[in-house]
Amino acid sequence: MPERASTLEFRGAIPVAPAQLAALRLAELQGLRRYGAAFLLGVLAAAALPPVDMTPVLVLSFVGFVWLFDGAQRSREAFGIGWCFGLGFFVAGFYWLTAALFVDIARFWWLTPFALLGVPAGLAIFTGGAVLAAHLTCRWLGWRGVSRILALSVFWCGAEWLRGHVLTGLPWNLVGYAWSGAFPGSLAMLQVTSLVGIYGLSLLTMTAVSLPATLGDLAGRRWPPLATSAALLVACFAFGWLRLDATATPAMQPGVRIRIVQPSIPQTLKNDPAERLTSFRRLLALSSEPAETGAPFDVLVWPEANAPPFLDRDGGARMAIAGLLPTNGLALVGSDRSDPPPGPLQHFWNSMIAIDHAGIIQGYYDKAHLVPFGEYVPLRGVLPMDKITPGTTDFSFGPGVRTLHLPGLPPVSPLICFEVIFPGAVIDPVDRPQWLLALSNDAWYGITSGPFQHFSIARVRAIEEGLPVVRAANNGISGLIDPLGRVVQRMGLDVVGFLDVPLPRTLPPTLYEQAGDAFFFAALPLLLGLGWVFSSLRRKSVKPS
């Protein structure tokens, strides 16, 4: 099938408005200028994410992106525009991955280009493929105007879902997370995720911020799409505002007071066996501090991998922790776990271990979603390298999310590190917990955007599931998030201290918890159907000359 000559709305006409002139100039860019502009627009889009939180820049970025897309006459040009936009978006959004290598830069300096550029280049294949699919659809069906924007939104957000599931999945830097930070009104916007999840919010956001691109068209009606964009955003905000206003502040669970400890131990010291005793003493000291206000704690929470390793085999360390607990109290601590003693050490798990006041292990959870190259090396028999965390042996995979029923505690779903970033995969749907416990160690990433985004993502999981989240991170950000995504208390990056917090009650199961991404998948063909309708109406409205 021959390539369509052009998708430009204004070919053969003189632009009469600034938006039309900008659209023409972007669409006519060629070569490196075209791809450089796509890269810079991707970088700009990343500024909408925490901690920058400049959410309105999505309009500038994606409107410019649509106009660049309009100028693509060949399939490879469409893919190149999408890939370069994605490269800029992911370089700016994932630069913090490189910080982990500087913990032991002498060994892993050679991985820096891969972390800084290689990972974004690979992820950008998803955005390139999305733009290519939209280009082919618009070319074959003759879609212009609103229809081409709907096609871009559908394929972009479909690619986001694929990126979150293919191989190990990496659902980070989704467009919907532009509402997870501190931009005014963001908490109300996030409430939509209780219905359609974060992928659904991405689709709504992508559509709304791209529709103003019709201001650059000469043919067709330009202002109705702009009004539709505003109506989408207002409707989402209104729903969120009403939900926040109508939902009573969750009551607190009786008899459950949690101490969240944040020791802020630098990763270089955590990796040093000679410093383990000093680090353990810091944790014990923070845990034994008297409560500043209110009753003493009932539950002690330590971050990921902060307790001495192989706590299941270290009775002395368990008794030291148990000595901090009241009668019937529990400690939920992050530690490596191994095969049950007295057998040999053959398998290792990154775990959360529950210890009672007698030092007895009451339950544990093994991390299931391991980080490639951090906790295991894919294709170890082929790739000549070690994982970047200490030790040469890979961690073993846990069986998956589970609800722990521990004495004296409401049922809990533990999550370790990045497990909290996977929508719809944080609870056992058959055995619903009453709260989420997220243990993490973001000390690998220093003062970068990574820890801020990690905390913001946890807020979205709370809203999606209608469950409170207790988050303990080694160097922050630790805190308590209620089921509506409101941050009750928090500790910032590198703060050494603790929080004594009550545990909010859960909300009834949300629509998203019950239906998952079903509404998101239903919306994709629906929007494509609307694109076909708008295209048909457009053709009928054009009178032959």
Side-chain angles (χ1 to χ4, degrees), residues 17-343:
Q20 295 164 343
L21 180 60
L24 176 61
R25 288 180 173 174
L26 277 176
E28 289 188 338
L29 289 177
Q30 299 293 322
L32 292 178
R33 290 186 177 182
R34 165 187 285 166
Y35 301 124
F39 178 86
L40 292 176
L41 287 171
V43 172
L44 179 63
L49 299 167
V52 181
D53 295 323
M54 294 174 58
T55 305
V57 301
L58 286 180
V59 177
L60 297 176
S61 180
F62 279 103
V63 165
F65 181 49
V66 172
W67 291 342
L68 283 176
F69 169 79
D70 287 341
Q73 298 185 29
R74 297 178 177 82
S75 297
R76 64 174 178 269
E77 293 173 347
F79 179 86
I81 289 169
W83 186 85
C84 288
F85 184 96
L87 182 66
F89 186 58
F90 294 128
V91 165
F94 281 106
Y95 76 93
W96 49 268
L97 288 174
T98 311
L101 302 177
F102 281 83
V103 173
D104 193 356
I105 193 64
R107 289 180 61 203
F108 297 110
W109 60 269
W110 57 276
L111 276 175
T112 303
F114 174 80
L116 184 61
L117 297 174
V119 172
L123 295 175
I125 294 174
F126 288 96
T127 58
V131 177
L132 174 60
H135 169 79
L136 294 174
T137 299
C138 293
R139 185 185 70 182
W140 290 339
L141 300 178
W143 284 6
R144 301 182 183 182
V146 171
S147 298
R148 104 275 203 186
I149 291 173
L150 295 179
L152 267 175
S153 297
V154 164
F155 289 113
W156 176 284
C157 294
E160 280 197 342
W161 188 92
L162 288 174
R163 176 162 61 86
H165 292 79
V166 171
L167 299 177
T168 62
L170 189 55
W172 200 288
N173 281 22
L174 306 179
V175 168
Y177 284 134
W179 302 106
S180 66
F183 186 75
S186 290
L187 181 60
M189 294 293 293
L190 281 181
Q191 301 306 309
V192 175
T193 61
S194 67
L195 302 177
V196 297
I198 187 61
Y199 294 114
L201 180 57
S202 279
L203 184 60
L204 289 166
T205 302
M206 177 75 174
T207 304
V209 300
S210 300
L211 281 173
T214 57
L215 293 175
D217 300 347
L218 278 184
R221 302 174 66 187
R222 297 184 297 277
W223 292 106
L226 191 64
T228 302
S229 170
L232 278 174
L233 295 176
V234 169
C236 291
F237 177 83
F239 167 80
W241 182 79
L242 290 172
R243 185 171 191 259
L244 290 170
D245 186 61
T247 305
T249 301
M252 299 301 166
Q253 295 276 4
V256 180
R257 190 163 182 82
I258 300 172
R259 170 161 293 188
I260 305 170
V261 177
Q262 181 173 298
S264 293
I265 301 168
Q267 191 59 44
T268 51
L269 298 183
K270 279 180 60 61
N271 290 351
D272 186 352
E275 294 292 330
R276 283 177 183 165
L277 181 58
T278 301
S279 299
F280 187 37
R281 286 173 175 168
R282 176 185 287 194
L283 284 157
L284 294 174
L286 289 170
S287 303
S288 61
E289 288 284 336
E292 295 180 356
T293 58
F297 66 83
D298 308 287
V299 182
L300 178 65
V301 175
W302 287 2
E304 175 192 11
N306 265 230
F310 309 124
L311 197 59
D312 52 332
R313 291 172 170 257
D314 191 343
R318 291 203 308 273
M319 290 307 298
I321 298 171
L324 304 170
L325 303 176
T327 303
N328 300 323
L330 283 176
L332 309 179
V333 301
S335 173
D336 299 340
R337 195 179 71 84
S338 64
D339 303 281

Side-chain angles (χ1 to χ4, degrees), residues 497-510:
F498 62 88
L499 293 174
D500 287 336
V501 297
L503 179 65
R505 288 187 180 273
T506 183
L507 296 178
T510 64

Side-chain angles (χ1 to χ4, degrees), residues 396-423:
S396 297
F397 291 83
V401 291
R402 59 182 295 211
T403 301
L404 292 183
H405 295 265
L406 300 170
L409 269 185
V412 58
S413 179
L415 303 164
I416 298 178
C417 196
F418 288 164
E419 288 186 317
V420 77
I421 75 173
F422 294 95

